[in-house]
Amino acid sequence: MYYKFNAVTQRLTGATANAYTPQGLRPAVPPVSSPMIFASPIKLESETRSQVGVNKVPDLQRLFQRSDGVPVYLKGGLMDKLLYRTTMGFTIGGALYCLVTLYFAAQPGNK
């Protein structure tokens, strides 16, 4: 329901959908109803649990809490090692690049 302010009675009164349509603006009500975004039926929780699979958390806890001398950020296997080494390479390369750039910036310019 739409309302508008009545200047005589100083109260809100009921109005039609285009109670306030300033010049140049279209009415607020769209001419065609928009389609539903989530038109698929909703699944119950009991239906989704049977499709999800097994819980991997206990297995991952055993893997990461094992005391075998390997740091926790490398216990994930080959992908963790690759990501760690790539990050360290970029870090060292970036630090060297900053030092070289700072060295060249500190040199006096040619006149």
Side-chain angles (χ1 to χ4, degrees):
M1 172 122 191
Y2 295 92
Y3 297 96
K4 69 177 180 178
F5 184 72
N6 189 337
V8 177
T9 61
Q10 301 293 314
R11 294 184 180 187
L12 291 175
T13 58
T16 60
N18 55 3
Y20 179 70
T21 308
Q23 194 173 19
L25 296 178
R26 289 176 289 178
V29 179
V32 178
S33 64
S34 59
M36 288 183 61
I37 295 174
F38 302 105
S40 63
I42 298 173
K43 294 182 180 179
L44 298 175
E45 186 177 348
S46 61
E47 294 174 358
T48 58
R49 281 186 188 258
S50 63
Q51 299 172 358
V52 171
V54 296
N55 187 4
K56 297 184 204 176
V57 173
D59 298 330
L60 291 174
Q61 284 177 339
R62 272 188 236 102
L63 172 71
F64 287 109
Q65 291 177 355
R66 189 177 348 156
S67 62
D68 53 3
V70 178
V72 72
Y73 51 86
L74 295 178
K75 285 189 178 185
L78 180 66
M79 195 63 184
D80 279 354
K81 291 177 185 174
L82 181 67
L83 287 172
Y84 176 73
R85 290 179 180 159
T86 303
T87 302
M88 290 309 293
F90 279 132
T91 303
I92 292 170
L96 290 175
Y97 179 74
C98 287
L99 291 174
V100 169
T101 305
L102 184 62
Y103 174 76
F104 285 127
Q107 299 299 318
N110 294 336
K111 291 186 179 182

